[in-house]
Amino acid sequence: MTDSTKSERHPADAEPGAAAAPSGPQDPKTPAEPRSDSKVVRIGDRVFHSVATGSGVFVIALIAAIGLFLLIRAIPSLQANEVSFLFSREWQAGDPDNLRFGIIDLAWITVASSLVALVLAMPTAFGISLFLTQYAPRSLARPFAYVVDLLAAVPSVIYGLWGFLVLTPVISPVAVWLNTNLGWIPLFADGNIPVGTGSNVFVAGIVLAVMILPIITGVTREVFERTPTVQIEGALALGATKWEVVRTTVWPFGRNGFIGGSMLGLGRALGETVALTVILSATQEAPSYSIFDAGATFASKIALGSAEFNNNMTVGAYISAGLVLFVTTFAVNALARWIEGRSGKGKE
Amino acid sequence: MRTDTADVERPATAPTFQHIGIGRRLKNHTATGLFTVSFLVAVVPLLWVLYTLLSRGLVPMLSADWWSHSFYGLLPNDFGGGIYHALVGTIEQSFVAAVISVPLGVTVGVFLIEYGKDSRLASTATFMVDILSGLPSIVAGLFVYALWITTFGFPKSGFAVALSLVLLMLPLVVRTTETMLRIVPDDLREASYALGVPKWKTILKVVLPTSLSGILTGVMLGLARIMGETAPLLILVGYARSINFNLFSGPMASLPLTIYTERKTPTEAGDARMWGAALTLVLVIMLINLLATLISRLFAVKTK
Amino acid sequence: MAKRLDIQDLNLHYGKFHAVQDVSLQVHARGVTAFIGPSGCGKSTVLRALNRMHEVIAGARVEGKVLLDGEDVYASNVDPVQVRRTIGMVFQRANPFPTMSIRDNVVAGLKLAGEKNKKHLDEVAERSLRSANLWEEVKDRLNKPGGSLSGGQQQRLCIARAVAVQPDVLLMDEPCSALDPISTLAIEDLIAELKKDYTIVIVTHNMQQAARVSDQTAFFNLRAVGEPGQLVEIEETGKIFSNPNQKATEDYISGRFG
Ligand SMILES: Nc1ncnc2c1ncn2[C@@H]1O[C@H](COP(=O)(O)OP(=O)(O)OP(=O)(O)O)[C@@H](O)[C@H]1O
Ligand SMILES: [Mg+2]
């Protein structure tokens, strides 16, 4: 409808107090307009609706822009790359005229440290979530959960310092023991730095585990809490022990939530930067397949490389690595949300 | 669940309550024990980190200059100096990030709950917010670098940092807003509509005020979270040991960057500066968390 | 100012579900019309269709006409906001705005429409609270939050809020169902008072209440679960309760009274 009819139709907005006037807000009814399928929408509503919708579109565009800008900046460097981006073990990005960079070693260290973290954090988070939702006294469950959440409030740079300067000396004997006794397994073999120094994937994984613990716990706890009371009481009424209740009701109900939460934790671990920059020592020698290797993850490589961000080609090499990290975390997070969304809808 | 005893072994008169097999009981107790221990396992690193911070960072912090001076002109072995320069940077950067991300995030939240409902656009936007909340901070930094510095040609600055922090804070604000708007009962919206109040005014004057306390609390928590971010700082701004109030030019310190940089001073004085800054950062974060609790009390809907 | 409502061939849907079928009835000005019928037969749905609250629900659809003094409230050039301003509503559960004081709750409709004159607002607040029989109870604590009142007081606050914008018609959906007998009586008295100035439609499950307060009564029924609700008959209240035209009505009423 036209603006003129609009102002005519809304005396209440145009003139405050009109609504209270004894005549009421009814204006003389104009004959119905012929364009009868157009609905009346107020200007305020239209503006508000557009702004809100626009912001929704903006968020979507933002993610697209991130992917796009990284891609645009990465392409020239990828084209100038003298070695295979995916499979080379070299990383010489400082000279724009002779770019030699590949990500295979970055990928290995990234995946290895994240997996160590998951192996440690998943069972712990599972136990914590059960403890908080099913075992802890009702009155203490909240403060206890808050304590676990506090773990997430500590900045990663501080975890890095703690891991490097405080945890390493304490945990090294464990690493040495694993290496001497289980060294025949490639995973625990000698790495490219002495096992005792601790700037390796093993320590990095432990610190990452602490960092992702609150993430996994947060999601899992919430799903476990939603287990229908009727199911729990049903199991209890059959004479099930607490553990049997957990196994037959809470776990089937919350399994997807736990897995989804772990994937979210994985996403966080893959992208964690500063803690690993501090802990992992940069080595000349390429890593093998031991958790006692040192090296760099995608993220820590980029952070360390920031010193040589002085021409677009060099930056482009690091941005290429960043793009891979972005795509990976995108996929992991998407998968996590998808699995999490299915929680409680399992067959059992 | 299974009965171990055969019928013949049953006592002639059954006990009042049925017996629970030892195997079942053992399993039950083991499970209880394991779950309790896993909670304790989580508490250990927390206390350990806090203890480390206090024992190593408290002494430098107690000096009179700590809150009013910078590290300007200190030699590697000089003790003393203060964290003022880094506080300025942290506060300015995160404040600007909040000023940008809060209105934007609240609007997105309003869109998702009040307008989008089950539309295609809304579910896509929700998904993107999820992705954004899992975005590695280093990637946020790289994106701002690629956009702001390489493409637009601006210099490295505190403002570039603020922009990257916006990316990290935005999903937190959206999520809180969504949660808080969702718990506003539809009754209130309907009451407002029934009074002849248009939808946009209903949102602005009835719905948002009702959820104000929750949104503010979430904003504070988001603020605490971005204050500790370090990764984007490494690529978006240089470190300065002197005080710089200007977000738009020159190197600028902030608490995480100070910690990261002072780590490279291999002296006792450098260590003291690093741990002092670390404890300060955690204190600031705790303070803001406390403020969040206070705000949620203060702005909570009153019933008396 | 009270106006007449003509409902013609109203069909109401929630998505695919056909909730109400072919309702036609007249609501007289300056009178009370009661809607009665078993749960789920669509009384609230019809009521909400009268001031276009039905369309607030996602997927809800309306067919047919609702004429307010001859003007179709569903005409394409009519703004639903305007309709709701003219036809006010009181809900089953009292829903004062929790962030506003008692006074601000009462004048919320005016304030949100842009009225700023404090003196005028105060007058309206007092007048509305008086007409809702609440003034004496709250006049000393007008600045306390609306949520601090008792349930019955909150409901009367909501009535005051609805009359403060001076609508022509007042719709009430089980306004007393959450209240004790004394508050219920207070509100019934209030309805008797209000009908001098307003056209009132009230949904109620309480037969005595319908008999006490209304001038005409409409009985709705369901043929079966899952089928749309229908209007069985509408008659003068005295006739409905003594000598209804339809067997179904009699069964329902006597069942209740039985
Ligand atoms: N928001 C909704 N979405 C879908 N169906 C609805 C909705 N509200 C009501 N219905 C359905 O419409 C039908 C009529 O509901 P309505 O609330 O109008 O009944 P009622 O007569 O007011 O019942 P009661 O006396 O219990 O309040 C019911 O079958 C109900 O399930
Ligand atoms: Mg109803």
Side-chain angles (χ1 to χ4, degrees):
Chain A
M1 67 187 306
T2 60
D3 279 358
S4 65
T5 36
K6 179 150 281 157
S7 53
E8 222 179 288
R9 290 229 145 251
H10 310 311
D13 270 0
E15 131 200 18
S23 66
Q26 296 71 56
D27 41 348
K29 297 280 188 296
T30 46
E33 281 174 79
R35 282 163 295 161
S36 56
D37 46 351
S38 66
K39 272 198 168 181
V40 176
V41 180
R42 309 200 138 214
I43 298 178
D45 269 331
R46 194 174 296 169
V47 170
F48 224 64
H49 193 163
S50 315
V51 170
T53 310
S55 71
V57 173
F58 174 81
V59 172
I60 300 171
L62 189 60
I63 297 284
I66 293 175
L68 199 69
F69 269 92
L70 294 183
L71 191 65
I72 290 175
R73 288 295 154 198
I75 285 176
S77 305
L78 285 171
Q79 279 170 342
N81 194 0
E82 311 264 339
V83 297
S84 158
F85 174 61
L86 290 181
F87 299 109
S88 169
R89 310 187 74 170
E90 278 184 77
W91 190 279
Q92 302 295 335
D95 178 1
D97 297 325
N98 182 24
L99 286 180
R100 308 177 69 83
F101 60 96
I103 55 170
I104 189 85
D105 282 342
L106 302 184
W108 160 245
I109 297 286
T110 307
V111 170
S113 53
S114 301
L115 286 185
V116 171
L118 271 192
V119 164
L120 295 173
M122 276 178 72
T124 317
F126 174 76
I128 296 173
S129 309
L130 282 179
F131 175 75
L132 292 179
T133 57
Q134 313 295 327
Y135 288 85
R138 277 272 162 272
S139 55
L140 289 179
R142 247 167 184 280
F144 280 1
Y146 183 70
V147 168
V148 177
D149 287 342
L150 273 185
L151 276 177
V154 178
S156 50
V157 64
I158 291 180
Y159 275 120
L161 292 184
W162 170 75
F164 183 62
L165 298 171
V166 183
L167 180 68
T168 297
V170 180
I171 209 84
S172 284
V174 179
V176 172
W177 184 89
L178 281 174
N179 178 248
T180 19
N181 292 290
L182 299 172
W184 48 272
I185 307 175
L187 209 55
F188 298 121
D190 286 332
N192 53 4
I193 54 167
V195 173
T197 54
S199 305
N200 51 29
V201 170
F202 177 64
V203 174
I206 295 175
V207 174
L208 280 181
V210 175
M211 298 177 73
I212 65 176
L213 203 54
I215 297 177
I216 308 181
T217 309
V219 175
T220 313
R221 185 173 46 121
E222 208 181 287
V223 185
F224 283 180
E225 234 156 36
R226 287 206 310 259
T227 314
T229 325
V230 278
Q231 286 187 18
I232 295 182
E233 290 182 347
L236 281 175
L238 286 176
T241 63
K242 194 133 206 180
W243 164 239
E244 286 159 355
V245 170
V246 166
R247 222 186 46 200
T248 55
T249 63
V250 179
W251 171 239
F253 182 84
R255 185 176 40 208
N256 282 331
F258 173 59
I259 297 173
S262 304
M263 297 283 289
L264 283 186
L266 174 64
R268 174 79 200 279
L270 291 173
E272 174 50 43
T273 314
V274 183
L276 298 189
T277 312
V278 174
I279 293 171
L280 290 172
S281 59
T283 51
Q284 294 310 310
E285 227 175 303
S288 55
Y289 295 105
S290 164
I291 58 168
F292 301 123
D293 275 326
T297 66
F298 285 109
S300 72
K301 191 76 187 176
I302 298 166
L304 290 171
S306 60
E308 46 181 32
F309 277 24
N310 44 29
N311 67 80
N312 284 349
M313 293 305 275
T314 301
V315 173
Y318 287 99
I319 285 184
S320 311
L323 183 62
V324 175
L325 180 59
F326 173 63
V327 172
T328 315
T329 48
F330 189 116
V332 168
N333 279 303
L335 197 62
R337 299 293 178 179
W338 185 71
I339 297 174
E340 197 193 325
R342 285 160 44 97
S343 77
K345 292 181 203 145
K347 325 179 224 19
E348 282 165 90
Chain B
M1 296 255 179
R2 66 208 167 91
T3 33
D4 285 333
T5 44
D7 270 353
V8 275
E9 291 168 40
R10 283 230 176 109
T13 51
T16 318
F17 297 109
Q18 281 187 30
H19 192 68
I20 300 178
I22 184 115
R24 289 177 64 197
R25 245 192 295 185
L26 200 66
K27 263 191 208 158
N28 193 30
H29 282 123
T30 316
T32 310
L34 279 177
F35 300 152
T36 314
V37 166
S38 56
F39 172 68
L40 296 179
V41 163
V43 177
V44 170
L46 181 66
L47 294 181
W48 197 355
V49 167
L50 291 182
Y51 169 77
T52 307
L53 285 173
L54 278 177
S55 65
R56 303 194 187 193
L58 196 57
V59 174
M61 190 188 279
L62 291 180
S63 90
D65 290 347
W66 185 255
W67 302 103
S68 56
H69 285 60
S70 71
F71 290 158
Y72 184 69
L74 289 185
L75 296 174
N77 278 312
D78 290 348
F79 281 91
I83 204 68
Y84 184 69
H85 61 309
L87 271 177
V88 167
T90 290
I91 290 171
E92 282 189 12
Q93 289 165 11
S94 44
F95 180 76
V96 169
V99 164
I100 300 174
S101 56
V102 170
L104 190 59
V106 170
T107 316
V108 176
V110 165
F111 166 68
L112 293 178
I113 299 296
E114 307 287 336
Y115 287 100
K117 293 274 189 241
D118 302 321
S119 72
R120 223 354 218 266
L121 181 64
S123 56
T124 315
T126 304
F127 174 72
M128 290 309 178
V129 172
D130 280 341
I131 294 299
L132 208 53
S133 64
L135 186 76
S137 50
I138 190 84
V139 175
L142 273 184
F143 168 64
V144 172
Y145 194 97
L147 180 74
W148 190 251
I149 295 177
T150 327
T151 306
F152 292 164
F154 290 103
K156 288 183 171 192
S157 66
F159 187 71
V161 171
L163 285 182
S164 70
L165 296 181
V166 167
L167 293 182
L168 302 171
M169 187 161 176
L170 186 62
L172 303 174
V173 178
V174 176
R175 281 285 165 271
T176 330
T177 309
E178 255 188 300
T179 318
M180 291 304 142
L181 292 185
R182 205 170 274 140
I183 58 177
V184 173
D186 271 342
D187 287 9
L188 291 184
R189 297 185 179 88
E190 295 203 334
S192 179
Y193 296 152
L195 285 175
V197 179
K199 182 166 183 171
W200 68 276
K201 255 187 195 167
T202 300
I203 295 171
L204 216 59
K205 296 283 176 64
V206 175
V207 179
L208 282 176
T210 309
S211 44
L212 181 70
S213 133
I215 295 177
L216 279 181
T217 309
V219 165
M220 293 305 281
L221 294 178
L223 206 59
R225 153 93 201 278
I226 60 166
M227 280 190 164
E229 283 296 346
T230 319
L233 283 66
L234 300 180
I235 48 183
L236 292 176
V237 71
Y239 175 67
R241 301 182 98 198
S242 53
I243 300 164
N244 174 12
F245 287 105
N246 191 346
L247 268 178
F248 291 93
S249 85
M252 185 182 214
S254 56
L255 287 167
L257 196 55
T258 305
I259 301 169
Y260 189 84
T261 315
E262 290 299 338
R263 186 175 67 95
K264 294 174 185 147
T265 317
T267 60
E268 261 180 58
D271 269 2
R273 291 197 278 269
M274 174 182 82
W275 288 112
L279 181 58
T280 309
L281 177 57
V282 168
L283 281 185
V284 170
I285 289 175
M286 271 169 27
L287 194 75
I288 292 193
N289 273 293
L290 210 70
L291 228 62
T293 320
L294 217 67
I295 283 181
S296 80
R297 297 256 167 83
L298 222 63
F299 286 82
V301 169
K302 294 177 186 64
T303 48
K304 281 252 156 54
Chain C
M1 41 185 295
K3 289 190 174 152
R4 169 179 45 101
L5 275 170
D6 278 303
I7 302 168
Q8 298 176 355
D9 298 321
L10 198 62
N11 277 277
L12 302 166
H13 306 259
Y14 291 103
K16 289 203 178 62
F17 178 58
H18 192 178
V20 174
Q21 190 177 29
D22 296 334
V23 169
S24 300
L25 59 84
Q26 283 202 358
V27 173
H28 304 306
R30 270 180 248 282
V32 179
T33 303
F35 287 1
I36 61 170
S39 197
C41 66
K43 306 177 295 291
S44 304
T45 307
V46 171
L47 195 74
R48 291 167 57 94
L50 302 185
N51 67 342
R52 296 188 65 167
M53 286 296 285
H54 184 60
E55 65 204 54
V56 169
I57 294 163
R61 260 183 320 116
V62 182
E63 287 159 18
K65 282 188 173 163
V66 176
L67 306 178
L68 181 69
D69 269 7
E71 298 284 341
D72 188 359
V73 304
Y74 283 100
S76 63
N77 58 345
V78 172
D79 182 345
V81 168
Q82 224 184 329
V83 172
R84 292 176 200 139
R85 204 145 249 270
T86 317
I87 307 179
M89 185 164 214
V90 175
F91 297 80
Q92 178 168 0
R93 269 207 350 232
N95 49 7
F97 299 123
T99 50
M100 299 181 192
S101 67
I102 292 173
R103 170 188 176 276
D104 286 350
N105 256 289
V106 176
V107 295
L110 296 181
K111 265 181 103 169
L112 292 177
E115 172 67 70
K116 293 206 177 62
N117 184 337
K118 191 174 169 308
K119 199 158 147 278
H120 176 58
L121 288 176
D122 282 338
E123 278 167 21
V124 173
E126 176 167 352
R127 174 154 35 89
S128 310
L129 283 168
R130 277 190 196 283
S131 67
N133 289 334
L134 190 59
W135 175 253
E136 291 303 325
E137 288 158 72
V138 301
K139 66 176 182 220
D140 300 324
R141 45 174 172 155
L142 288 173
N143 290 319
K144 290 274 160 56
S148 66
L149 298 176
S150 78
Q153 290 172 327
Q154 284 188 17
Q155 191 61 297
R156 277 179 281 152
L157 178 63
C158 291
I159 295 176
R161 182 175 69 183
V163 300
V165 292
Q166 302 211 327
D168 295 336
V169 181
L170 207 53
L171 309 177
M172 301 182 163
D173 193 351
E174 301 183 40
C176 306
S177 67
L179 303 182
D180 68 295
I182 294 181
S183 309
T184 302
L185 276 182
I187 288 183
E188 284 180 9
D189 290 347
L190 177 56
I191 291 172
E193 193 74 19
L194 290 172
K195 81 172 182 188
K196 291 178 200 143
D197 298 318
Y198 298 91
T199 304
I200 294 176
V201 185
I202 178 170
V203 173
T204 177
H205 275 292
N206 180 331
M207 298 296 151
Q208 291 97 323
Q209 183 170 65
R212 279 194 300 265
V213 302
S214 71
D215 304 311
Q216 60 169 356
T217 300
F219 172 60
F220 291 80
N221 206 353
L222 276 174
R223 246 176 301 156
V225 177
E227 297 269 310
Q230 289 172 319
L231 174 67
V232 177
E233 64 176 308
I234 176 163
E235 270 296 345
E236 243 177 69
T237 300
K239 178 146 170 34
I240 281 263
F241 284 101
S242 57
N243 179 23
N245 299 325
Q246 302 287 329
K247 179 86 172 40
T249 316
E250 189 169 0
D251 288 349
Y252 180 72
I253 291 170
S254 58
R256 282 301 165 108
F257 279 146

